[in-house]
């Protein structure tokens, strides 16, 4: 629907669940591989796209880490971040809170001094050039040990002013939140914001753990939350946001059909649902594509779209003054397009 796409693009919004390594488009992958003399195991862009047919989260992660191997120099990380922020800005994203996986790089002997200032530099440049603001959230890889996560946090301390918060990603099942209780406690002491992937493939109990043990302020995915009515009640009452990623859930078979996704049901219940792109280069769509696909599959109204974009601003870690300005702009865009935003249930 052309009206819906144009409306989504016009509405100011935040993207709160995107992995910078997951924005590595095949074209850029080949360019960086050539620049750095890295063998990627693919010969054409079409071959790469053909490999992006995943059976589950693990089959995706295997190829995700393989792709990240082309990222070697500060220039590579700057190019990657600038490419994502330009694409997001074109979709009407005004603020992005971007995940990065330091252990994916330090495990290849590429240090914080290479990737973090480079990502930060791109963030500053994109704000000056495109007007999009962005912040960085450092994720711990949950398939690695808690001790390795703690060591990563300590290594990051000289760059504390470049990091907004911490998150938790990678293989979910078998790695419950309690495993990372100590490192998240330390992160909170340092004043870092806290978010965590939970309830994507693992049960609702992982969401409880992320909230109660890690003290997560947002839940990334949270699809399985619906299986626990008491949890849904808590999400509504405490206004705990879910950063949902429809096309990712479809690609990784979290849902068999987008029409089966519970995003609309949870939104109607009053959960602070947001729409995001996760790993858009791998899952076939950036934030605008995710909104459009969800709107078509779930019969979202223009009012729903406005509420979702407003949720994204309210769920962000931006300052209150900036949030208020963007919400005022959002209301103006809605009015110009004749859209009434119903209050949350």
């Amino acid at each position: 629907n052309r009206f819906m796409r144009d409306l989504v693009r016009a509405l100011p919004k935040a993207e709160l669940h995107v992995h910078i390594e997951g924005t590595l488009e095949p074209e850029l992958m080949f360019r960086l591989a050539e620049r750095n003399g890295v063998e990627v195991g693919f010969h054409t862009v079409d071959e790469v796209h053909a490999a992006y047919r995943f059976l589950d989260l693990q089959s995706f992660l295997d190829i995700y880490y393989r792709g990240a191997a082309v990222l070697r120099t500060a220039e590579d990380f700057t190019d990657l971040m600038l490419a994502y922020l330009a694409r997001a800005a074109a979709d009407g994203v005004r603020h992005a809170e971007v995940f990065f996986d330091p252990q994916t790089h330090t495990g290849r002997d590429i240090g914080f001094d290479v990737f973090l200032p480079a990502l930060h530099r791109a963030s500053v440049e994109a704000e000056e050039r495109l007007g999009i603001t962005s912040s960085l959230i450092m994720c711990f890889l949950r398939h690695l040990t808690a001790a390795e996560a703690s060591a990563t946090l300590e290594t990051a301390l000289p760059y504390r002013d470049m990091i907004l918060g911490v998150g938790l990603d990678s293989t979910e099942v078998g790695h419950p939140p309690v495993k990372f209780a100590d490192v998240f406690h330390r992160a909170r002491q340092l004043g870092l914001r806290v978010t965590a992937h939970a309830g994507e493939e693992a049960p609702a109990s992982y969401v409880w753990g992320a909230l109660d043990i890690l003290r997560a302020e947002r839940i990334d995915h949270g699809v399985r939350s619906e299986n626990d009515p008491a949890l849904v009640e808590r999400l509504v009452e405490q206004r705990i946001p879910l950063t949902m990623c429809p096309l990712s859930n479809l690609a990784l078979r979290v849902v068999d059909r987008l029409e089966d996704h519970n995003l609309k049901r949870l939104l109607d219940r009053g959960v602070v649902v947001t729409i995001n792109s996760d790993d858009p280069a791998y899952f076939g769509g950036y934030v605008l594509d995710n909104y459009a696909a969800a709107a078509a599959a779930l019969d979202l109204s223009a009012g729903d779209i406005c509420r979702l974009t407003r949720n994204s601003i309210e769920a962000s870690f931006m300052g209150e003054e900036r949030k208020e300005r963007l919400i005022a702009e959002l209301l103006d865009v809605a009015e110009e397009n004749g859209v009434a935003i119903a209050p949350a249930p």
Side-chain angles (χ1 to χ4, degrees):
N1 180 308
R2 182 62 186 269
F3 170 75
M4 283 295 213
R5 284 188 77 90
D6 289 347
L7 177 65
V8 173
R9 189 180 284 110
L11 288 164
K13 56 199 160 291
E15 177 152 39
L16 308 176
H17 186 156
V18 59
H19 300 266
I20 195 59
E21 295 86 358
T23 68
L24 181 62
E25 290 289 343
E27 293 80 1
L28 182 57
M29 184 192 296
F30 277 112
R31 199 157 76 242
L32 299 186
E34 188 177 345
R35 188 155 86 188
N36 295 320
V38 176
E39 178 54 57
V40 291
F42 299 110
H43 298 101
T44 66
V45 167
D46 287 344
E47 210 176 297
V48 178
H49 282 300
Y52 291 177
R53 296 198 179 98
F54 309 110
L55 301 174
D56 53 21
L57 179 59
Q58 193 56 54
S59 64
F60 154 66
L61 289 169
D62 292 341
I63 200 164
Y64 171 87
Y65 294 128
R66 187 167 144 196
V70 304
L71 298 164
R72 296 292 177 92
T73 68
E75 185 183 8
D76 298 341
F77 287 95
T78 297
D79 287 352
L80 179 67
M81 185 76 161
L82 282 173
Y84 161 69
L85 290 171
R87 182 66 182 265
D91 281 358
V93 174
R94 304 290 287 281
H95 176 73
E97 293 176 1
V98 181
F99 296 131
F100 70 102
D101 288 340
Q103 290 160 290
T104 296
H105 311 302
T106 56
R108 301 179 292 117
D109 295 322
I110 293 164
F112 272 83
D113 59 323
V114 174
F115 57 80
L116 196 46
L119 293 172
H120 179 70
R121 197 158 46 243
S123 176
V124 171
E125 184 180 329
E127 183 174 0
E128 290 170 354
R129 197 153 49 83
L130 303 169
I132 182 173
T133 57
S134 54
S135 302
L136 292 164
I137 295 177
M138 178 172 73
C139 286
F140 304 114
L141 299 181
R142 65 201 305 161
H143 68 276
L144 300 178
T145 68
E148 287 170 298
S150 294
T152 297
L153 180 58
E154 297 308 313
T155 306
L157 290 184
Y159 307 94
R160 167 68 186 87
D161 61 338
M162 297 181 187
I163 302 170
L164 172 70
V166 294
L168 187 62
D169 63 9
S170 188
T171 311
E172 188 182 8
V173 175
H175 302 282
V178 68
K179 175 179 171 182
F180 298 95
D182 290 344
V183 69
F184 273 76
H185 177 70
R186 171 79 170 127
R188 293 196 310 273
Q189 287 181 323
L190 292 166
L192 291 160
R193 308 304 293 263
V194 175
T195 180
H197 285 52
E200 178 184 12
E201 289 196 321
S205 61
Y206 278 48
V207 178
W208 285 105
L211 296 173
D212 292 334
I213 298 168
L214 306 184
R215 310 261 189 93
E217 301 167 73
R218 286 197 304 248
I219 296 296
D220 301 310
H221 291 299
V223 181
R224 304 294 181 213
S225 301
E226 190 182 36
N227 299 340
D228 185 335
L231 176 57
V232 174
E233 253 179 66
R234 180 179 181 182
L235 296 175
V236 173
E237 284 174 15
Q238 296 182 5
R239 294 195 58 73
I240 297 162
L242 300 183
T243 65
M244 295 190 126
C245 308
L247 291 177
S248 163
N249 293 159
L250 183 64
L252 299 186
R253 307 190 183 185
V254 174
V255 294
D256 293 326
R257 306 181 316 143
L258 214 48
E259 289 80 0
D260 300 328
H261 203 287
N262 59 15
L263 183 153
K264 167 70 168 161
R265 291 194 299 274
L266 289 169
L267 183 71
D268 288 345
R269 286 285 306 277
V271 177
V272 184
V273 174
T274 67
I275 288 182
N276 310 271
S277 66
D278 201 2
D279 299 280
Y282 294 89
F283 300 146
Y286 286 77
V287 78
L288 176 58
D289 304 309
N290 274 270
Y291 272 91
L298 303 174
D299 197 23
L300 299 179
S301 68
D304 292 332
I305 294 294
C306 289
R307 188 138 57 84
L308 287 159
T309 53
R310 180 171 184 154
N311 283 351
S312 75
I313 295 167
E314 292 177 344
S316 77
F317 295 143
M318 284 185 281
E320 290 307 314
E321 191 180 322
R322 176 99 193 282
K323 288 184 183 182
E324 286 170 14
R325 284 202 308 273
L326 288 176
I327 288 169
E329 186 182 329
L330 185 154
L331 294 173
D332 286 344
V333 171
E335 189 178 354
E336 285 165 15
N337 284 274
V339 180
I341 309 176

